[in-house]
Amino acid sequence: MNILEGKIVSIEKVDEFLSLNILVGDKNFFAVVLYSDALSWMQTGQSANLIFKEMEVMIATLSSKISARNAFVSRIKEIETGELFANVIFDFEGKEISSVITRHSCEELGCSEGSEFIWFVKSNEVTIGMGDNSGR
């Protein structure tokens, strides 16, 4: 388990979510969490721990090569933007792949319909189900 200690810089409540900016050293970390009364202790300036699993950390080189084996270049078909999240829909082999990211990240990356981006999913995050064609 990875644990980093930081200070809460900003909190934005949107619907049932909290969008948090937490400063660790001189680096900004961002987290989006479901709000519950158990999180009512959170205030700007407060210390907070960021906790995340080792398997949730992806690695990329400076030339945009990443560690996820399932990495594909696809054209953005559509972007649905909400107050906090953006649903980026890719055209992949004629099928739609959706990626929900924060609206801020979508804007910062310069995502736009028709542009190409890499989307990826770690192999341990893929669940396998039985297919439709029964060629047994």
Side-chain angles (χ1 to χ4, degrees), residues 22-131:
I22 300 172
L23 193 63
V24 177
D26 63 347
K27 305 290 185 212
N28 285 305
F29 274 73
F30 298 92
V32 175
V33 297
L34 270 172
Y35 178 78
S36 74
D37 289 337
L39 300 177
S40 61
W41 62 268
M42 290 187 185
Q43 298 177 19
T44 56
Q46 177 111 24
S47 293
N49 288 330
L50 290 91
I51 305 166
F52 48 98
K53 296 177 188 176
E54 296 87 342
M55 294 182 78
E56 299 299 328
V57 178
M58 293 190 185
I59 299 172
T61 67
L62 296 179
S63 62
S64 296
K65 291 185 179 182
I66 59 171
S67 65
R69 295 184 67 190
N70 301 309
F72 306 97
V73 175
S74 297
R75 190 169 306 282
I76 294 176
K77 179 178 180 179
E78 182 181 349
I79 300 173
E80 301 167 351
T81 306
E83 191 175 344
L84 182 58
F85 295 107
N87 184 19
V88 181
I89 302 168
F90 291 96
D91 179 8
F92 177 68
E93 302 289 316
K95 305 284 185 193
E96 290 185 354
I97 299 294
S98 294
S99 173
V100 176
I101 60 176
T102 63
R103 178 185 50 79
H104 177 79
S105 291
C106 186
E107 292 168 356
E108 194 172 80
L109 288 169
C111 294
S112 62
E113 291 180 12
S115 58
E116 289 188 333
F117 277 84
I118 299 172
W119 63 271
F120 50 93
V121 60
K122 293 177 72 170
S123 57
N124 62 293
E125 295 296 329
V126 177
T127 301
I128 306 297
M130 185 175 287

Side-chain angles (χ1 to χ4, degrees), residues 6-24:
K7 290 228 183 278
I8 299 173
V9 175
S10 66
I11 303 170
E12 181 182 359
K13 187 170 189 300
V14 179
D15 298 324
E16 68 270 10
F17 296 97
L18 290 180
S19 176
L20 302 163
N21 179 358
I22 300 172
L23 193 63
V24 177

